[in-house]
Amino acid sequence: MTHQTATQSHEPDAGLPPVATPQAAPAAAASAATPGKTADDKPRGSRAPAFIRRSRALHLGWQAGVFVVGLCVVIAGIIMLPLPGPGWLVIFAGMAIWGTEFVWAQVVLRWTKRKVAEATQRALDPRVRRRNLILTVIGLIICGALLAVYLWQYGFVMPWEISR
């Protein structure tokens, strides 16, 4: 029996990029043992339905549609960054849409997930939590002192109503 890789092409898909197949699961599990890989890594590649992958023109149209939809979502997220709204969440949703078709987006999403997990672990470190708590308390004390100085100087008057 031949060794199966994580990405295989079938006869009908001769000109298409390799697509992940269910038979590739043992090879993907074996590659998960390599450094930098986790057991829950899915094979990379298009997740378009098989009837779409069979036709090169249909598959390119599908990819163009996925790209346009993902681009619209990412642009909406970028617009939301300075405006009210969940900008970063929408940007990552657009990347996830792109990740259904494009390997580069899957790689970026996996890298982002890994970095978020590392940052979460660092944030849960007791020394880091203690430092963050101390910095927060110092910041609140400074804000309270500034508020006290303002109230002592001007009383309960809004800044735009102060006349000197």
Side-chain angles (χ1 to χ4, degrees):
M1 181 159 213
T2 62
H3 182 271
Q4 295 178 345
T5 60
T7 56
Q8 294 179 346
S9 62
H10 300 286
E11 292 299 323
D13 300 331
L16 295 176
V19 178
T21 60
Q23 296 87 4
S31 69
T34 60
K37 294 278 188 178
T38 60
D40 62 342
D41 280 349
K42 297 174 189 156
R44 296 181 186 146
S46 176
R47 292 186 179 88
F51 74 92
I52 289 177
R53 288 191 313 251
R54 279 188 217 115
S55 167
R56 179 79 173 153
L58 197 56
H59 193 240
L60 285 175
W62 177 272
Q63 285 184 326
V66 167
F67 181 80
V68 168
V69 170
L71 182 65
C72 290
V73 173
V74 168
I75 289 173
I78 291 171
I79 291 170
M80 285 184 208
L81 287 175
L83 300 175
W88 285 109
L89 184 65
V90 174
I91 289 171
F92 290 130
M95 290 296 295
I97 290 170
W98 279 339
T100 63
E101 274 308 303
F102 305 108
V103 173
W104 60 267
Q106 294 169 3
V107 170
V108 169
L109 283 172
R110 288 180 183 169
W111 178 84
T112 304
K113 286 179 187 177
R114 191 171 56 250
K115 292 299 178 183
V116 167
E118 291 172 7
T120 302
Q121 289 303 316
R122 282 194 310 268
L124 294 177
D125 180 23
R127 290 177 295 172
V128 173
R129 290 182 70 176
R130 190 176 314 116
R131 182 200 64 202
N132 290 346
L133 182 63
I134 290 170
L135 289 174
T136 301
V137 168
I138 290 171
L140 288 173
I141 290 171
I142 291 171
C143 287
L146 291 173
L147 180 64
V149 168
Y150 176 84
L151 290 176
W152 173 70
Q153 186 74 27
Y154 302 106
F156 287 107
V157 178
M158 291 294 135
W160 52 85
E161 295 177 0
I162 297 175
S163 61
R164 264 201 170 187

